[in-house]
Amino acid sequence: MNLLYQSTRSEDVKVTASQAILKGLADDGGLFVPERIPALDVPVAKLAEMSYQEVAYEVMKLFLTDFTEEELKSCIAKAYDEKFDTKEIAPLADVDGVYYLELFHGATIAFKDMALSILPHLLTTAAGKNQVDREIVILTATSGDTGKAAMAGFADVPGTRIVVFYPKGGVSPIQEKQMLTQKGDNTFVVGIKGNFDQAQSAVKALFNDKALAAELADKGFQFSSANSINIGRLVPQIVYYVYAYARLLAQGKIAEGEMINVTVPTGNFGNILAAYYAKQMGLPIAKLICASNDNKVLFDFFCTGTYDKNREFILTTSPSMDILISSNLERLIYRIAGADAGKNKALMESLAKEGSYSITPEMKAQLSDFYGNFADEREVAAIIKKTYKDTGYIMDTHTAVAAKVYSKYVDQTGDRTPTVIASTASPYKFTRSVMNAIDLQYNTWSDFELVDELSRISGVRVPNAIEEIRTAPIRHNTVCEVEEMEAVVKRFLGV
Ligand SMILES: *Cc1c(COP(=O)(O)O)cnc(C)c1O
């Protein structure tokens, strides 16, 4: 029997996994959620003997039940190949007894590669299964990392085009250069004069515009989403938590069934939601530690039960977490509302209208698996420097937010449960902020001088993703107002 997906905002529509992947967002503006979370059906001891690709199959087959074994294995094989610079795909670094799950060994050196290297294959397979003959147009808002990873995944994939919007001035210099040098005739990058939330809201509005959809359908196009609201991104992210547990077991760092904690640097709430789903599947995870930067809307939510985005948007050195509307939180709200779409819808309408909502005490009681905290800019820089001085390990700014929040958690609770920290980007992606944290004298160095110096002091080879952009020509230069986004999309599609 197929596992079906329904919207978080209405009960009446049920679709298969492949249809949910194709649509991205439900017609009523809700997110697709599985009707139930399937249980892991392979013992962890068995998983401990498997490769990343094999674990991926065991997890994904439970969620994407209308894909055949052959289809799924083919998607997995095409995604997790030599694009990753290590056979392990997601290695664990043991840094003084804390396990950093390095999710940045893919093509664009951020964790977005874990899902976006497989999404294009899932999507084109889904299109084939559902007799879609229109060209698929991926619309994506990015806070810096999704855009590049999505383009790397979709570049020159037949039957697809991709348009990426990023906040001009709101991403790191390396992130911007990575995007603006993107190859592929089907890729299009646009800087918008606004922040990430504005880009994301405008993209959602384009998705929900029925008249636009009809006009594009006439011309042979159909929108889909590569943002983390797509379950085709969420499901592949569950895999690495299961894999991390299996590796810790294989390495003798934990015993079978022993609990672990997971700490996740959080923005749109996709990565930590995947960990929550892994826990629901039966993986022995105790606490889900949600780490925010100065945009600490989630920390406040976990403290008070009120989600309130009415506040100043702060640009930080962890730009991929500069988000005030964490879209995937809606899937958690839906669950703690007792899978009540009506209740969830009312809260989301309040968020759209008032910019805030409050959950009931009964709902809040179900958040006890979560711990939220935040790290400010000074704390982020300090922990990068301290970890480097103490251990030689250099982490990026996002991972540093998680590391700091984890240390606050241990200070407050004394909880010594083995902990996995999701390490979401290579320090090479945020070289300037990382190097300035280590020593302010680096302030005057050029971006690529810093890259070479980082390699020298860390002993880690400069990744290909960075080597490539040293000399790559800029191929994109469009900048527009938020209001012009629809016109820009149409121009690119020639309609
Ligand atoms: C996207 C991103 C995050 C935030 O992940 P979410 O799934 O949006 O919560 C954290 N760190 C880095 C480096 C990212 O690219």
Side-chain angles (χ1 to χ4, degrees):
M1 215 183 54
N2 270 334
L3 178 62
L4 295 180
Y5 289 76
Q6 68 164 64
S7 167
T8 48
R9 297 192 195 177
S10 63
E11 252 105 53
D12 23 295
V13 186
K14 303 221 191 292
V15 298
T16 61
S18 66
Q19 288 164 342
I21 290 171
L22 277 171
K23 288 184 75 75
L25 202 62
D27 288 333
D28 57 15
L31 310 189
F32 286 113
V33 280
E35 284 187 303
R36 60 187 167 76
I37 305 288
L40 264 180
D41 60 1
V42 187
V44 282
K46 191 106 184 282
L47 292 167
E49 294 163 10
M50 293 185 187
S51 66
Y52 190 89
Q53 293 81 353
E54 288 165 338
V55 172
Y57 176 69
E58 293 303 330
V59 172
M60 292 176 66
K61 71 164 199 219
L62 300 171
F63 284 93
L64 310 182
T65 56
D66 70 326
F67 285 68
T68 66
E69 175 171 352
E70 194 190 344
E71 286 169 342
L72 207 46
K73 285 190 170 164
S74 157
C75 289
I76 289 168
K78 284 185 213 152
Y80 305 110
D81 61 7
E82 305 75 52
K83 289 192 289 298
F84 286 77
D85 67 9
T86 159
K87 267 211 172 63
E88 288 176 275
I89 306 295
L92 279 165
D94 181 341
V95 182
D96 268 358
V98 180
Y99 307 109
Y100 287 81
L101 178 61
E102 295 187 347
L103 302 171
F104 56 75
H105 288 271
T108 74
I109 61 175
F111 98 95
K112 304 296 194 289
D113 290 324
M114 301 305 297
L116 283 166
S117 52
I118 194 165
L119 183 68
H121 304 295
L122 295 175
L123 199 59
T124 48
T125 306
K129 298 176 85 63
N130 291 280
Q131 289 84 42
V132 171
D133 45 18
R134 289 196 281 268
E135 203 170 342
I136 294 172
V137 180
I138 304 292
L139 281 193
T140 292
T142 184
S143 55
D145 289 333
T146 295
K148 177 64 189 182
M151 286 190 291
F154 282 97
D156 293 326
V157 172
T160 70
R161 296 199 200 188
I162 174 162
V163 185
V164 167
F165 295 98
Y166 73 95
K168 185 83 191 159
V171 302
S172 85
I174 301 246
Q175 282 179 312
E176 183 168 43
K177 185 137 195 226
Q178 276 189 305
M179 288 193 277
L180 298 186
T181 55
Q182 177 63 45
K183 295 184 202 139
D185 290 336
N186 63 337
T187 66
F188 192 52
V189 185
V190 186
I192 65 146
K193 295 183 193 157
N195 63 36
F196 171 73
D197 284 327
Q198 291 169 303
Q200 176 159 264
S201 299
V203 163
K204 276 196 187 163
L206 292 178
F207 273 121
N208 288 335
D209 185 336
K210 304 247 155 56
L212 178 64
E215 186 185 345
L216 291 184
D218 254 6
K219 311 273 189 212
F221 296 110
Q222 144 174 357
F223 283 144
S224 190
S225 165
N227 272 101
S228 61
I229 50 171
N230 194 315
I231 61 122
R233 270 190 63 185
L234 200 52
V235 172
Q237 291 180 2
I238 301 169
V239 172
Y240 47 75
Y241 291 108
V242 177
Y243 180 71
Y245 191 92
R247 294 319 300 155
L248 287 174
L249 185 60
Q251 293 164 11
K253 305 268 168 74
I254 55 172
E256 191 173 344
E258 188 174 346
M259 287 287 180
I260 62 167
N261 289 338
V262 169
T263 306
V264 186
T266 298
N268 229 349
F269 210 77
N271 201 0
I272 195 165
L273 186 76
Y276 175 70
Y277 278 2
K279 179 179 165 98
Q280 305 289 312
M281 291 179 81
L283 196 71
I285 295 177
K287 281 282 174 197
L288 299 150
I289 300 168
C290 177
S292 300
N293 65 19
D294 275 321
N295 295 291
K296 58 184 181 59
V297 63
L298 286 166
F299 165 64
D300 294 342
F301 170 69
F302 284 119
C303 290
T304 63
T306 295
Y307 192 95
D308 187 357
K309 74 159 179 98
N310 299 310
R311 61 180 74 203
E312 192 194 344
F313 184 98
I314 301 169
L315 292 176
T316 71
T317 53
S318 44
S320 303
M321 296 160 65
D322 289 345
I323 291 175
L324 293 180
I325 307 175
S326 296
S327 297
N328 272 295
L329 185 66
E330 179 169 348
R331 288 186 163 111
L332 179 64
I333 298 296
Y334 170 82
R335 266 189 90 80
I336 62 173
D340 183 333
K343 238 187 201 167
N344 173 65
K345 183 165 185 253
L347 294 176
M348 294 307 134
E349 278 170 357
S350 164
L351 179 63
K353 277 203 207 80
E354 328 285 340
S356 71
Y357 60 81
S358 295
I359 60 174
T360 63
E362 297 76 52
M363 288 169 75
K364 187 159 184 287
Q366 292 181 62
L367 293 176
S368 59
D369 291 341
F370 287 88
Y371 167 89
N373 211 327
F374 75 105
D376 67 25
E377 293 291 272
R378 198 185 44 78
E379 292 173 321
V380 167
I383 198 152
I384 290 173
K385 181 169 184 171
K386 179 173 179 2
T387 308
Y388 168 60
K389 292 271 184 257
D390 292 352
T391 70
Y393 190 71
I394 300 186
M395 65 179 106
D396 98 289
T397 43
H398 303 73
T399 309
V401 170
K404 182 64 201 181
V405 166
Y406 172 62
S407 81
K408 290 184 180 181
Y409 171 78
V410 172
D411 287 349
Q412 282 173 14
T413 63
D415 181 4
R416 288 284 168 189
T417 304
T419 295
V420 168
I421 293 183
S423 177
T424 49
S426 160
Y428 282 100
K429 200 153 190 175
F430 301 93
T431 323
R432 180 165 297 280
S433 302
V434 168
M435 295 302 277
N436 277 345
I438 289 172
D439 192 335
L440 274 175
Q441 66 143 0
Y442 289 127
N443 213 0
T444 56
W445 295 35
S446 76
D447 286 331
F448 282 98
E449 283 169 350
L450 291 176
V451 162
D452 292 328
E453 178 72 355
L454 173 55
S455 180
R456 194 185 66 76
I457 66 169
S458 66
V460 176
R461 208 171 52 86
V462 179
N464 279 340
I466 297 296
E467 285 299 351
E468 267 170 26
I469 59 167
R470 269 187 210 265
T471 53
I474 300 289
R475 299 185 70 250
H476 304 267
N477 58 12
T478 307
V479 177
C480 78
E481 303 286 342
V482 175
E483 299 73 37
E484 295 170 329
M485 286 168 61
E486 177 176 344
V488 161
V489 171
K490 285 186 172 173
R491 201 169 72 217
F492 172 59
L493 297 179
V495 304

